[in-house]
Amino acid sequence: MKNLINQIILEGPDLSGKTTLYENIHNMTQYRWNIQDRSSLSMLVYAKLYGRDEFPHVEALNAELNNLNNFMILLLPDWKVISKRFSKRGDPIQNLSSLKKLYNIFSEAADEFEHLPNVYVLRKEVDDFILKEVIS
């Protein structure tokens, strides 16, 4: 039996393909899903990066993941993909060093959460991804 999806949550470091995936899901499903671009996992990752209080974000993330009607897709393509995108278009907030730190923190989160039934870690580029595998 499949759980009904309340919302799809897209997570991952900057330049990982979240916007592309967001658009692809909406185009494929005619806006069937409520898609959230970033959530409490990003809040936690940025709290770790900048040395902020992590506790409220851990609590929010646990509540989000414990709701099996939420489906999280964590985008984590190879670091080379992200660094190449950064070289081509840059980022208004990150530099290559901070982006690598973010990538590493998201990678740790992926290792921690990918065993959950409502978390899918996408470790390749969105363009190579067969979307139906996840949202069907």
Side-chain angles (χ1 to χ4, degrees):
M1 180 177 155
K2 280 191 141 186
N3 291 328
L4 298 175
I5 296 175
N6 180 42
Q7 67 179 342
I8 296 173
I9 302 160
L10 303 181
E11 282 286 3
D14 299 21
L15 306 170
S16 62
K18 293 180 300 299
T19 302
T20 301
L21 183 58
Y22 179 93
E23 292 169 356
N24 287 348
I25 292 171
H26 276 319
N27 288 336
M28 248 183 108
T29 65
Q30 287 77 47
Y31 295 85
R32 177 179 176 191
W33 308 108
N34 176 21
I35 303 173
Q36 184 173 337
D37 184 357
R38 298 198 181 266
S39 68
S40 53
L41 177 57
S42 282
M43 297 298 290
L44 176 59
V45 166
Y46 280 93
K48 286 183 179 191
L49 181 69
Y50 295 116
R52 299 177 188 147
D53 183 16
E54 298 173 22
F55 181 76
H57 308 301
V58 169
E59 292 294 304
L61 179 59
N62 285 334
E64 201 170 81
L65 293 176
N66 285 331
N67 180 345
L68 295 179
N69 296 111
N70 291 334
F71 185 70
M72 180 182 288
I73 303 172
L74 201 162
L75 287 83
L76 200 64
D78 190 87
W79 167 247
K80 289 184 255 181
V81 171
I82 292 179
S83 61
K84 182 179 174 183
R85 288 179 184 164
F86 180 82
S87 296
K88 281 187 175 180
R89 63 183 206 213
D91 187 88
I93 298 172
Q94 304 301 330
N95 59 44
L96 203 53
S97 175
S98 65
L99 194 55
K100 179 63 172 165
K101 289 176 186 175
L102 279 173
Y103 182 87
N104 291 340
I105 298 170
F106 272 108
S107 183
E108 291 171 8
D111 292 344
E112 183 176 349
F113 299 123
E114 69 184 333
H115 72 281
L116 296 175
N118 58 338
V119 175
Y120 185 91
V121 178
L122 178 57
R123 296 184 187 271
K124 53 187 169 181
E125 290 186 72
V126 171
D127 294 340
D128 298 334
F129 178 57
I130 301 171
L131 193 57
K132 290 179 184 179
E133 174 182 330
V134 174
I135 63 170
S136 61

